Amino acid sequence: MGTTRDTDVRTGERGTDVPTGEGNDAAATDTAAARDAGELGAAGAQLSTAPRDTVVPGSFGGARAPGAAGWLAWTGREILGWARWFWRQLTSMRVALILLFLLSLGAIPGSLIPQTGQDETKVADFMGRHETLGPIYEKLGLFNVYSSAWFSAIYILLFISLIGCIVPRTWQFVGQLRGRPPGAPRRLNRLPAYTTWRTEAEPEAVREEALKLLTRRRFRAHAAGDAVAAEKGYLREVGNLAFHIALIVMLIAFAWGQLFKYEGNKLIVEGDGFANTLTQYDDFKSGSLFSTDDLEPFSFVLDNFRGTYEPSGPNKGTPRTYESHVTYSEGSDGKEKQRTIKVNEPLDIAGTKVYLVSHGYAPVVTVRDGKGDVVYSQAVPLLPLDSNVTSTGAIKVMDGYRDAQGKKDQLGFRAFFLPAYGGANTAVVSQFPALLNPVLNLEAFHGDLGVDSGLPQSVYQLDKKNMKGFKDSKGKQLRENLKPGETMKLPNGAGSITFEKDIKEWAGFQVTEQPGSGWALAGALTAIFGLAASLFIQRRRVWVRATAGPDGVTVVEMAGLGRSESAKVPEELGDLAGILYDLAPGTPDTPDDTPETNADTDTSADTDAKSEPDPEAKTSTPEPPAVPAAEGAEK
């Protein structure tokens, strides 16, 4: 099997390679040569919106004119020629696809390597563990991919490429829609799909029936001289343009979202509330053009958290229900409303979404000093360590505490919480995430917590650098397991800490707003449908010519042309020809000197040769014309 390539005559645009039979190679070459020679004229032009590849006269190697003025003129033409060539390359579909591929490759390190804008701690940890790769990644901007110069360059070039490609194509396509299909070429038998027959019907009647038939088949058709010209498949170019416009929309939406987005996290204990202000967040990240004025005013209170789990089986402990019941209000004086926030079912307030992302326990503890006065009483959120919610954290009593001698001091407790303790003979981990047998394990310390040093520290970790541990009666570190309602006494009358029966739960929320996400989704869907249309819809043209022959009998010619040769054009033409043949039947008396087209011979062969007369032509009943297979279609 060989291949031939469909050519847009006026634009020189090449289509896809299509296989042809070995016996059709010469005919395919003749067809391509005829098109390249411009024999089809306007009939074969503008089957797509591909830009015409024009060259600036005098550029790229023209003879240098004598004199300084001539040299400057030649240089200007040369520069203009190179500029036009560069612009044509940049706005070509090939370069756009390459840039899109590079953009996808550039996003890979942004997903695999820690990013400064997301977690500086992980970046510092990576730098510490990779002494060689760390500095290299930093110089290449891999820790801040989406703000790096090279990623921005690819992004901007892709944007320019798509704009430069779409604008001229759109105007050209609008012009095609406003115009009419081009008239029939002089020699229809040079087209890939062609058939002919003779009929006793009048030429005008044949053309009228052909116009009605093509209009019913949703072709844009009109009479042009002795032929009817029709065209179909404009949705291919619509899909092509929609696909590229959708890419631009997605790029703009992505850039807009990255510049103006914000994201923050907040841990809230049951009964506590949150207001959407910057100081309320535990951590906060935003785009470079974000302003605190962009924060949507709202507030909510976590009424309670409800979680249920699989009690047995291979999925034991797997969450079945995770939901937070909240009371929220919009604005400073909005009406309070009730809402349940679930996983993947966020609370949406004017484009700002509140997601439920985590859960844990917050045991309520009460600390008393040496005189028995309460110096600390509140719920302490502890962070889960495993799927069974074995949790850890710290209790810090910074102010108001005095020891047995009345001296000011600070207390610290390292805490472990097990919602389902298995007993003394089991590992010190929770056996189930629900509150089946809650135990609070505490280690007691006193001294300087380090909170007044000015250095930031985690509220969930205890800095024991300047602290001393309380000792038990055996001289070991004081450490006890407490059940709800039990109290641990500190040595020498230093006070006590009580694990209250009230065990609260906390929920972690992520508040996000990313402008342009809706546009990005719309662009993605449009791109999918546009690409499908450009791939599966073929733009094609059909011509029907009806003229009176030398003997007065009407000769009907039908031909079809598509942007790329396939079996669809001859199949459709054969269907149309069969219907029109029923309306204008062939005549059985075919003179010997009248040329006919052999339906079994490829139409791209030389039609100057006369076909042999059929000895049975005057006695046989004529059959509907057969349309030869297009180059590349199987016979």
Side-chain angles (χ1 to χ4, degrees), residues 233 235-244 246 523-539 568:
L235 285 179
R236 176 190 179 94
E237 296 302 326
V238 173
N240 189 21
L241 293 173
F243 171 74
H244 295 96
L525 295 176
T526 303
I528 292 173
F529 289 111
L531 183 61
S534 65
L535 290 177
F536 298 110
I537 297 177
Q538 184 181 21
R539 189 170 172 186
K568 185 174 183 179

Side-chain angles (χ1 to χ4, degrees), residues 140-410:
L140 294 176
L142 298 183
F143 293 125
N144 200 7
V145 168
Y146 303 110
S147 300
S148 62
W150 57 269
F151 189 87
S152 300
I154 297 174
Y155 194 92
I156 293 173
L157 285 176
L158 176 60
F159 192 83
I160 296 174
S161 177
L162 291 174
I163 291 290
C165 177
I166 289 174
V167 172
R169 280 175 175 258
T170 301
W171 286 116
Q172 186 175 339
F173 184 59
V174 170
Q176 293 176 21
L177 291 178
R178 296 176 62 184
R180 288 184 171 187
R186 181 173 57 88
R187 303 177 66 182
L188 288 177
N189 54 12
R190 306 295 276 179
L191 298 182
Y194 171 81
T195 188
T196 183
W197 72 94
R198 295 158 54 83
T199 181
E200 294 181 351
E202 294 296 328
E204 293 79 5
V206 174
R207 291 194 292 268
E208 183 178 351
E209 293 296 335
L211 182 61
K212 293 179 181 178
L213 171 62
L214 293 171
T215 302
R216 287 198 303 268
R217 290 299 184 92
R218 299 190 301 277
F219 279 84
R220 294 180 62 207
H222 72 103
D226 60 356
V228 174
E231 188 167 2
K232 192 177 184 180
Y234 287 92
L235 285 179
R236 176 190 179 94
E237 296 302 326
V238 173
N240 189 21
L241 293 173
F243 171 74
H244 295 96
I245 292 174
L247 288 182
I248 292 180
V249 171
M250 291 172 63
L251 290 175
I252 294 176
F254 176 75
W256 185 268
Q258 290 298 313
L259 292 174
F260 291 94
K261 73 173 184 178
Y262 73 84
E263 176 184 303
N265 294 286
K266 180 64 177 179
L267 185 151
I268 304 176
V269 178
E270 289 176 329
D272 292 346
F274 167 80
N276 192 28
T277 59
L278 195 59
T279 57
Q280 289 277 300
Y281 286 96
D282 295 331
D283 61 80
F284 188 86
K285 295 175 291 187
S286 64
S288 56
L289 297 183
F290 169 80
S291 171
T292 53
D293 296 335
D294 298 330
L295 290 172
E296 189 69 26
F298 69 89
S299 61
F300 66 89
V301 175
L302 176 60
D303 298 325
N304 63 79
F305 176 89
R306 178 173 175 266
T308 60
Y309 311 89
E310 290 289 344
S312 60
N315 296 324
K316 180 180 178 181
T318 303
R320 299 176 59 184
T321 304
Y322 255 29
E323 56 187 31
S324 295
H325 302 277
V326 301
T327 300
Y328 74 98
S329 62
E330 301 181 40
S332 57
D333 54 355
K335 182 180 178 181
E336 290 188 347
K337 303 176 184 178
Q338 304 288 329
R339 174 68 188 272
T340 299
I341 304 176
K342 301 180 181 179
V343 178
N344 297 326
E345 295 183 18
L347 171 65
D348 192 339
I349 303 176
T352 300
K353 292 182 171 57
V354 182
Y355 292 90
L356 174 64
V357 294
S358 57
H359 156 258
Y361 292 100
V364 179
V365 297
T366 301
V367 179
R368 291 177 171 83
D369 61 11
K371 294 182 179 181
D373 297 331
V374 176
V375 294
Y376 183 94
S377 181
Q378 64 183 56
V380 182
L382 303 178
L383 300 181
L385 297 175
D386 54 32
S387 59
N388 286 327
V389 202
T390 302
S391 308
T392 184
I395 303 170
K396 301 179 182 181
V397 182
M398 296 175 285
D399 301 314
Y401 172 75
R402 295 177 181 271
D403 59 17
Q405 289 75 32
K407 183 180 179 181
K408 288 185 178 180
D409 201 357
Q410 293 180 336

Side-chain angles (χ1 to χ4, degrees), residues 203 207 226 545-549 553-557:
R207 291 194 292 268
D226 60 356
R545 175 176 283 149
T547 57
V553 179
T554 300
V555 178
V556 181
E557 292 181 287

Side-chain angles (χ1 to χ4, degrees), residues 423-620:
N425 296 326
T426 61
V428 188
V429 291
S430 178
Q431 307 297 312
F432 196 75
L435 292 172
L436 301 181
N437 182 28
V439 167
L440 180 63
N441 179 275
L442 296 173
E443 289 184 82
F445 301 86
H446 68 97
D448 184 9
L449 291 170
V451 294
D452 299 325
S453 63
L455 299 177
Q457 60 176 242
S458 173
V459 296
Y460 304 104
Q461 295 180 347
L462 189 64
D463 184 3
K464 298 182 291 183
K465 180 180 178 181
N466 299 316
M467 302 195 75
K468 296 180 181 180
F470 286 101
K471 304 298 181 180
D472 59 14
S473 58
K474 298 181 181 180
K476 296 182 179 181
Q477 170 65 46
L478 180 62
R479 180 173 182 173
E480 291 186 17
N481 288 337
L482 301 180
K483 291 187 176 182
E486 295 184 346
T487 300
M488 181 174 73
K489 300 266 185 197
L490 300 180
N492 304 319
S496 65
I497 179 170
T498 301
F499 177 23
E500 304 292 349
K501 293 182 179 181
D502 182 19
I503 302 175
K504 294 186 177 182
E505 300 184 59
W506 60 261
F509 296 94
Q510 184 180 76
V511 182
T512 65
E513 181 176 358
Q514 186 163 359
S517 57
W519 285 99
L521 177 60
L525 295 176
T526 303
I528 292 173
F529 289 111
L531 183 61
S534 65
L535 290 177
F536 298 110
I537 297 177
Q538 184 181 21
R539 189 170 172 186
R540 62 269 192 202
R541 290 171 180 163
V542 172
W543 293 273
V544 181
R545 175 176 283 149
T547 57
D551 56 352
V553 179
T554 300
V555 178
V556 181
E557 292 181 287
M558 293 186 68
L561 177 66
R563 183 183 176 190
S564 59
E565 296 176 4
S566 69
K568 185 174 183 179
V569 174
E571 287 175 0
E572 186 173 35
L573 185 69
D575 183 33
L576 295 171
I579 298 175
L580 187 60
Y581 186 87
D582 293 337
L583 300 174
T587 178
D589 52 342
T590 304
D592 292 347
D593 58 348
T594 301
E596 291 185 354
T597 297
N598 189 346
D600 295 330
T601 304
D602 193 288
T603 56
S604 59
D606 188 357
T607 57
D608 292 336
K610 304 292 184 179
S611 60
E612 294 295 331
D614 186 353
E616 299 180 0
K618 296 183 180 181
T619 59
S620 62

